[in-house]
Amino acid sequence: MVLQSVQRLLRRGAITNLAKMLGRMHPADVAKVINHLSSSKEKREVFELVRGENKRGQVLSELEGQSIQEVLADLLHSDVAWLLKDLGPDDVAYILGFLPEERGKDILALMKTEDSTEVADILKYPKDTAGGIMTTEFFSLSEDATAQEAIRRLQHATDAEMVFYIYVTDKDERLVGVLSLRQLLTVLPATPLKNIMTRDVMSVTVDMDQEEVARQVASYNLLAIPVVEKDGRLAGIITVDDVVDVIREEATEDMLKMAGAIEEDTVSKSSSLGSARLRLPWLFTNLVGSLLSGAILWYFRYTIQEVVAIVSFIPVIAAMGGNVGLQSSTLIIRGLATGLVELTDVWTVFFREVKIGLVMGLACGFILTIVGWGLHQGFLGVVVGVSLVIAFLVSTSMATIMPIVLKRMGVDPAVAAGPFVTTANDITGITIYLTLATIFLDQLR
C-alpha cells in the first residue's frame, strides 16, 4: 500500500505531500520503496525528496546495490561524500563497493582522512568475508586499564558501534580477553581488566567466509563477534544486525542456486539475455537427463510393446523418485549451510535418510500396488509397488551422499546437487521399473 501511494503521488506530481510522507517513514522503509520502484528516474526523485543528509545517508545504507548505483548516478562526488560523512565505515564501504572503483577512490579522497582510512581498510577485503562486513568502530582497552578508567572511557565513546562487550588487548593490540558491561560494573574501581576478563575469546579471522561468521554468532548466541588479523591483532567487530543480513543473503543465494536462478531474476533487474545465459546450463542438464530417459524407454520398447499398461506408471515412478530425492537433498544442503549437518555425520545422516525413504516407499508403494492391481492386473501392481520402494531407497541414498561428497570436494552443494539429483533420480527410477518389468515379463503378459 505504501508503494502504491508513493507511485500515485509521483504520477500526480504531488511533491509536497510525498515529501511529508517520506519524512514520517523510517529510512529502511524508504529504501524498501525505492528498491521496488521500476525506473531510475522515479528512484532518484524519491531519494531527492528525503529531507536531511543524515536520513538520506541512512536510506543509502539500506538500499540494494543496483538502486545505489541509480540514485547516485547524477550526484557530484562531493555531494556523495557529504551524504556518507555520518555513516559507519562498514556502511560506507558497503555503498562504495557498488560504485566504479575510480569513483569510489575519488569520493574517499573527499572524506576526512581518518574516516577514509577506516573505509579503505574494510574495502581491501572481499565483500563476502568477515573483513568485508566488519566495522572498525569498536571499543577496546588495554589489559592494564582499571575498571574505573574503562567506565570513564566508555562514557566518552560516542563513535563506538553498539558496545555490547569490552574487548581487551595487549601492548601489541592483540586480542587477549573480553568482558561484559555487567562484569565491569560489579568490581572495585581499581581492579585491572586483566583480572576480570574472560581469556577464552570467540573470534573470527578477517578472511573467514561471512556464512561461517553467521554460523559462529548463531551457535554461541553472541551479540557481536571480534575480527582479528592473522597475528591476532584486533581489526574490527561484526554486530548481530549485520549477521542477520548475512543469514538472509546466504539463504536466498542457496535457494536461488538450487533453482538455477540468480538474485537479479527475482526482482526483474537483469537483462533477458543475461538471465537466459545463466539459466541455460541448468536447463541443459535437465535436457540431457530427459534425452537419457527417452533412450531408456527406447531400449525397453519391446517390453512396453508386450505390456502396454506399463506406460501408465512411468510418470508416477519418475516424479515420485525425483521428488523424494529433492526433499532429501534440500534438507542436507540446508543442514550443511547452517551447520546442523557436519561432514563427520555422513553415515548417521545417510542411514537416517535411507530409513525415511524406506518408510515412505513402503507407504506409497502399497498404495500404488493397490491402484495397479485394480486398474490392470495383480502382478503389475506388485511390480510397480516394488519398483517404487527400490526407487525411493536409491533416490534418498543418492540425494544424501551427493551433497556431502561435493562439500568434501570443496564444491558448493547448492550449485551442483539439486539439478543433478533430480535428473539422476528420474533416470534411475524409470530404469528400475522397466528392468523389473522385463524380468517378470512372462507373469505380466
Side-chain angles (χ1 to χ4, degrees):
M1 291 178 63
V2 174
L3 178 61
Q4 292 174 350
S5 298
V6 170
Q7 291 173 324
R8 185 165 56 251
L9 291 172
L10 278 174
R11 287 194 299 269
R12 294 177 180 175
I15 302 303
T16 303
N17 293 336
L18 181 54
K20 290 180 180 179
M21 180 180 176
L22 295 173
R24 294 191 297 268
M25 293 172 61
H26 189 279
D29 295 326
V30 176
K32 189 174 182 179
V33 168
I34 293 176
N35 284 329
H36 285 84
L37 291 173
S38 56
S39 71
S40 300
K41 180 182 177 182
E42 289 179 337
K43 292 181 179 183
R44 285 193 291 269
E45 286 179 358
V46 172
F47 182 72
E48 289 167 3
L49 290 174
V50 177
R51 294 173 180 172
E53 283 76 14
N54 185 273
K55 185 171 182 178
R56 294 177 77 191
Q58 292 175 352
V59 171
L60 266 180
S61 69
E62 298 288 345
L63 289 176
E64 296 175 354
Q66 183 67 28
S67 296
I68 289 174
Q69 296 172 9
E70 292 171 342
V71 300
L72 297 182
D74 297 332
L75 291 183
L76 298 174
H77 296 342
S78 56
D79 293 335
V80 178
W82 183 254
L83 291 176
L84 302 180
K85 65 182 177 63
D86 293 324
L87 295 179
D90 53 333
D91 290 328
V92 176
Y94 167 77
I95 293 167
L96 295 183
F98 293 106
L99 301 180
E101 186 176 352
E102 287 301 318
R103 191 181 186 198
K105 290 180 179 178
D106 292 340
I107 293 171
L108 272 181
L110 295 173
M111 299 177 67
K112 291 180 181 179
T113 304
E114 181 182 355
D115 294 339
S116 62
T117 301
E118 292 177 342
V119 175
D121 288 341
I122 297 175
L123 286 172
K124 69 182 180 182
Y125 301 107
K127 287 183 180 180
D128 57 352
T129 63
I133 62 174
M134 71 180 181
T135 178
T136 55
E137 293 182 339
F138 57 89
F139 187 78
S140 66
L141 288 171
S142 169
E143 60 183 337
D144 295 322
T146 64
Q148 183 178 19
E149 182 183 351
I151 293 173
R152 186 172 62 253
R153 291 274 301 276
L154 190 58
Q155 290 172 336
H156 295 88
T158 55
D159 292 336
E161 181 170 331
M162 300 183 190
V163 184
F164 300 122
Y165 309 107
I166 297 170
Y167 300 102
V168 186
T169 58
D170 61 14
K171 58 184 177 59
D172 296 319
E173 299 298 322
R174 289 193 294 265
L175 181 65
V176 294
V178 64
L179 68 151
S180 66
L181 294 178
R182 182 179 180 278
Q183 288 175 287
L184 188 64
L185 296 173
T186 56
V187 297
L188 295 175
T191 306
L193 297 185
K194 61 184 176 183
N195 290 353
I196 58 174
M197 68 183 184
T198 301
R199 295 184 179 275
D200 186 16
V201 189
M202 183 61 60
S203 63
V204 297
T205 57
V206 290
D207 58 351
M208 180 178 287
D209 186 86
Q210 63 176 8
E211 190 171 4
E212 179 59 30
V213 173
R215 189 178 298 124
Q216 296 266 17
V217 173
S219 297
Y220 299 102
N221 297 319
L222 302 174
L223 296 175
I225 192 167
V227 183
V228 298
E229 300 282 359
K230 293 291 186 181
D231 59 1
R233 286 186 299 109
L234 185 59
I237 65 170
I238 299 172
T239 51
V240 69
D241 58 320
D242 294 320
V243 170
V244 171
D245 292 335
V246 170
I247 292 172
R248 183 175 63 246
E249 176 187 331
E250 293 292 341
T252 302
E253 181 183 337
D254 287 347
M255 291 303 103
L256 291 173
K257 283 179 179 178
M258 290 177 66
I262 54 174
E263 185 172 0
E264 288 77 8
D265 287 336
T266 62
V267 290
S268 304
K269 290 180 181 175
S270 63
S271 67
S272 299
L273 287 177
S275 296
R277 179 176 58 83
L278 290 167
R279 292 187 187 191
L280 277 174
W282 310 101
L283 292 181
F284 284 149
T285 300
N286 290 329
L287 178 61
V288 171
S290 299
L291 290 173
L292 287 174
S293 298
I296 292 169
L297 292 174
W298 178 253
Y299 179 80
F300 287 101
R301 63 190 181 278
Y302 297 115
T303 300
I304 297 172
Q305 287 175 0
E306 290 290 330
V307 185
V308 180
I310 290 174
V311 177
S312 304
F313 297 98
I314 290 178
V316 179
I317 298 291
M320 295 294 288
N323 284 336
V324 76
L326 188 59
Q327 288 176 350
S328 295
S329 64
T330 301
L331 289 171
I332 299 301
I333 291 170
R334 192 65 193 134
L336 290 170
T338 58
L340 295 176
V341 177
E342 299 291 345
L343 295 180
T344 53
D345 300 329
V346 54
W347 291 115
T348 302
V349 174
F350 174 77
F351 286 120
R352 177 181 178 275
E353 286 299 314
V354 168
K355 284 189 287 186
I356 292 172
L358 177 61
V359 172
M360 294 190 299
L362 289 173
C364 295
F366 177 75
I367 295 173
L368 205 54
T369 298
I370 300 301
V371 173
W373 195 294
L375 291 180
H376 299 287
Q377 52 106 335
F379 204 78
L380 178 58
V382 174
V383 170
V384 173
V386 172
S387 298
L388 190 66
V389 173
I390 298 174
F392 269 34
L393 288 172
V394 173
S395 182
T396 51
S397 301
M398 291 177 58
T400 304
I401 289 296
M402 187 174 290
I404 295 176
V405 170
L406 291 172
K407 182 77 171 181
R408 191 178 290 276
M409 293 171 58
V411 179
D412 189 350
V415 176
F420 287 109
V421 165
T422 304
T423 303
N425 288 333
D426 289 347
I427 295 171
T428 54
I430 293 173
T431 304
I432 291 168
Y433 174 46
L434 293 179
T435 300
L436 283 179
T438 302
I439 292 173
F440 297 105
L441 187 59
D442 290 338
Q443 285 82 2
L444 295 176
R445 288 193 180 102

